[in-house]
Amino acid sequence: MLTGKTALVTGSTSGIGLGIAKALAGQGANIMLNGFGDVEGPKAEIASLGVKVGYHGADMTKPAEIEDMMKAAAARFGRVDVLVNNAGIQHVAKVEDFPPERWDAVIAINLSSAFHATRLALPAMKAANWGRIINVASVHGLVASTEKVAYVAAKHGIVGMTKVVALETATTGVTCNAICPGWVLTPLVQKQVDAKAAANGWSNEEATRRLLGEKEPSMQFTTPEELGELAVFFCSPAANNVRGVAWNMDGGWAAQ
C-alpha cells in the first residue's frame, strides 16, 4: 500500500516509534529513523522487511537539527510522505516541585518538535496532494493524571495542534490525526513500573498489576504492534476522510 512512499518516524529506535516504523515498512514504505541508543539493530529490523532505511540523530529539542533531518530525508528519498511525530520524554513531580528545566525539555520534545517537523513537511505534502501526519499523543492528551503536568500539557497541545492542521488541510489529500495510547510497555513505562516496585517493595508483576489497575480497565498493555496497525489504517484509502481525530487505544481508560 505504501510502496514508493517514505515515512519519517521520530523517536523510532525503540518502543512505540519502532513498532510504527515496522508496520509502515511492512506496507512497503521506506523509513527514516530518528532517536538515541542502539541504531544498527532497528535499522537491520527495518531493512529485513525489504525497504530502504535511513537514520538521522536530530536532537528534537533543537529546531535547526529537526530542519536538517527533514532536508536529509528529502535528499535521500525525495520527500516525506508520512510523518509520525512520536518522540517523547516524561518527568514526574508535583507542580510546585517540577524543575523548570524539565518542563522546558518535555514541552520541547513532546510538543514543539512535532510543530517544527509538521511545518517543514506540509509544503511537499500539499504540492503532491497526498500526505499523512500522525501525532502520537496519549490518553493524557484527553484526560489528566497527577504529577505529570508537563506531559499532560504537551499531549493536550498535540491533540489541539492535530485539529488545527486537519482543518487547514481539510480540502487537500493531506490528513492529520492523533493516536492516544494508554499504558504501552515501552522502556519509558518500564522505568515507572520498576520505580513503583522499588518504592513499595513489590515484585515487578505486582507493580505492573497495580499500575494497570489504577487506570486501565482492560488490565492489559497496548502493544507497539497494535499502534502500528492503527497508523497503517490512517495511511490507507479507508482513512482518506478521517481528519483531526484523537483515537485512543487505552483499554477503556478514557471511557471511565
Side-chain angles (χ1 to χ4, degrees):
M1 186 177 72
L2 297 176
T3 298
K5 289 184 165 54
T6 297
L8 188 156
V9 186
T10 67
S12 52
T13 49
S14 67
I16 292 172
L18 181 56
I20 291 175
K22 288 165 66 175
L24 297 175
Q27 292 293 326
N30 297 320
I31 303 293
M32 179 66 92
L33 296 171
N34 157 263
F36 299 116
D38 176 35
V39 173
E40 293 309 314
K43 283 177 68 176
E45 285 188 61
I46 298 296
S48 72
L49 297 170
V51 300
K52 297 175 183 175
V53 56
Y55 168 79
H56 194 287
D59 180 339
M60 300 305 288
T61 65
K62 297 178 178 176
E65 293 193 21
I66 296 171
E67 186 165 353
D68 188 68
M69 176 180 68
M70 299 300 290
K71 287 179 179 176
R76 173 79 185 271
F77 297 116
R79 72 166 181 272
V80 174
D81 302 285
V82 180
L83 171 64
V84 182
N85 290 307
N86 168 73
I89 59 171
Q90 175 67 285
H91 186 80
V92 179
K94 291 186 181 299
V95 173
E96 63 268 30
D97 300 323
F98 211 95
E101 66 274 13
R102 297 311 298 162
W103 167 275
D104 290 343
V106 171
I107 297 299
I109 293 176
N110 293 29
L111 178 57
S112 296
S113 74
F115 161 71
H116 290 300
T118 298
R119 69 178 176 82
L120 294 163
L122 276 171
M125 289 182 176
K126 286 182 174 180
N129 201 37
W130 196 93
R132 295 291 185 265
I133 298 170
I134 301 169
N135 295 321
V136 179
S138 166
V139 67
H140 282 118
L142 306 171
V143 297
S145 293
T146 59
E147 301 189 0
K148 296 182 179 179
V149 62
Y151 190 83
V152 170
K155 294 304 187 179
H156 272 68
I158 282 284
V159 169
M161 189 182 79
T162 298
K163 294 175 181 179
V164 172
V165 175
L167 292 175
E168 291 185 2
T169 57
T171 59
T172 76
V174 180
T175 70
C176 182
N177 294 290
I179 298 174
C180 299
W183 290 122
V184 183
L185 195 56
T186 63
L188 193 70
V189 170
Q190 187 61 56
K191 286 181 182 178
Q192 294 183 54
V193 173
D194 294 343
K196 189 179 283 283
N200 295 281
W202 297 333
S203 67
N204 202 270
E205 291 75 15
E206 177 68 8
T208 298
R209 188 183 68 78
R210 289 181 181 247
L211 185 80
L212 289 168
E214 287 172 9
K215 300 285 187 179
E216 195 142 349
S218 68
M219 292 297 290
Q220 65 187 52
F221 289 107
T222 300
T223 68
E225 290 76 17
E226 289 166 346
L227 297 170
E229 290 304 314
L230 180 54
V232 167
F233 166 71
F234 282 147
C235 293
S236 73
N240 280 346
N241 209 29
V242 178
R243 298 173 184 268
V245 305
W247 192 313
N248 43 312
M249 294 183 74
D250 63 357
W253 184 328
Q256 299 176 97

